Amino acid sequence: MKGSIKVSQLGFQTAVSLVYPPRCLGCGGQVESDFGLCGSCWRDTPFIGGSICDSCGTPLPGENHDDCLKCDDCMITPRSWTKGRAALLYKDNARRMVLALKHGDRQEIAEPAALWMSRAIEDLPLENMLVAPIPLHWMRLLKRRYNQSALLAQALARHAGLPVCPDLLQRQRRTQPMDGMTKEVRFTSVKGAIRAHPKRRHRLAGRPILLVDDVFTSGATLSSATDACLAAGSGPVYVVTLARVIKNT
């Protein structure tokens, strides 16, 4: 009986794949498996590897894998979190996928993106860690219908085998979109805008927190969220983003 059920399921899956063949997340071309990238889009997706900044995940030149390396931005602006990681550079196909997830209702991108992020955090101390997304203000959430950072956090938690609290943090003040803002204005804009949810504070007390966001630009929003966690009595805070914006050199 069980064998026949498995055969039926396999036949159904085969039929579905014939009608709806897997498509590349980047260009929409046919690929071998769901949530994959074709060879061309894979080559156009800038994955981060090698030597990185320990605070934000920016790739650094050279072969030195010392975990204390810092990029220029993180030396100029020390971070309140303990370590930071990113899966992709925010350019080319990575930028297109981030924008599609954030503004194009391409929620299916969150699953493979979270897998890439899970690989980026493999060297972090994950024991007793709680995953939490950067929150959206309720008015923006109502307009967008979903929080892309929450989708990433939930999928990442599944891949990493960690608990997740989607509403651990609240954005108590609506802030303006930060596109085009200077670094100083970004930090001023979000200072104090995020707090720990009053009914969730007990979940972060004394334990490490992993904050999840889609893009790291200046680090202003992540700093505000980190400060909120630490003020509520959390343990060390770590951050991971799908993509990291870097200056052209």
Side-chain angles (χ1 to χ4, degrees):
M1 182 65 176
K2 290 183 179 180
S4 62
I5 292 175
K6 289 182 178 179
V7 171
S8 297
Q9 290 174 338
L10 181 61
F12 176 75
Q13 291 170 353
T14 302
V16 169
S17 66
L18 289 173
V19 177
Y20 302 105
R23 297 293 179 180
C24 171
L25 290 170
C27 66
Q30 192 167 335
V31 291
E32 293 184 0
S33 59
D34 290 329
F35 310 122
L37 292 171
C38 67
S40 179
C41 287
W42 183 271
R43 290 190 296 271
D44 196 32
T45 303
F47 290 91
I48 293 176
S51 297
I52 60 169
C53 171
D54 195 43
S55 291
C56 71
T58 293
L60 297 174
E63 299 298 325
N64 189 343
H65 295 274
D66 184 348
D67 62 4
C68 293
L69 292 175
K70 304 285 184 184
C71 68
D72 290 345
D73 282 349
C74 291
M75 286 192 288
I76 294 171
T77 307
R79 310 301 183 178
S80 52
W81 57 81
T82 301
K83 292 177 181 289
R85 299 290 183 265
L88 310 170
L89 295 180
Y90 187 67
K91 64 178 185 177
D92 303 331
N93 192 48
R95 181 177 182 275
R96 290 190 289 271
M97 286 193 293
V98 169
L99 292 176
L101 170 63
K102 189 171 185 175
H103 300 298
D105 204 17
R106 294 282 307 280
Q107 298 183 42
E108 75 277 8
I109 292 174
E111 190 65 31
L115 177 60
W116 303 332
M117 294 167 73
S118 71
R119 292 168 181 166
I121 64 168
E122 287 179 340
D123 66 325
L124 298 185
L126 303 181
E127 184 177 359
N128 197 38
M129 183 176 279
L130 179 65
V131 180
I134 296 297
L136 284 179
H137 189 270
W138 69 268
M139 293 180 67
R140 188 162 294 162
L141 181 60
L142 189 64
K143 181 179 180 180
R144 190 176 294 173
R145 297 185 298 105
Y146 63 93
N147 178 0
Q148 72 280 358
S149 297
L151 295 179
L152 291 170
Q154 290 169 321
L156 174 59
R158 288 195 300 272
H159 285 300
L162 297 171
V164 60
C165 185
D167 60 348
L168 184 70
L169 300 175
Q170 292 179 318
R171 194 173 295 241
Q172 57 185 347
R173 186 179 79 245
R174 188 178 184 185
T175 56
Q176 295 299 315
M178 292 192 285
D179 294 343
M181 289 185 180
T182 65
K183 180 179 178 180
E184 292 73 18
V185 173
R186 285 172 178 263
F187 274 83
T188 301
S189 174
V190 297
K191 185 176 179 60
I194 297 174
R195 68 171 183 176
H197 192 303
K199 295 183 179 180
R200 304 289 181 266
R201 292 171 67 101
H202 66 283
R203 295 202 61 183
L204 59 69
R207 73 189 301 181
I209 304 297
L210 179 65
L211 296 177
V212 178
D213 204 3
D214 54 350
V215 180
F216 185 123
T217 304
S218 67
T221 303
L222 288 165
S223 291
S224 180
T226 298
D227 292 344
C229 290
L230 295 174
S234 76
V237 177
Y238 301 85
V239 305
V240 62
T241 59
L242 173 56
R244 174 66 164 108
V245 175
I246 61 170
K247 300 174 182 177
N248 291 325
T249 56

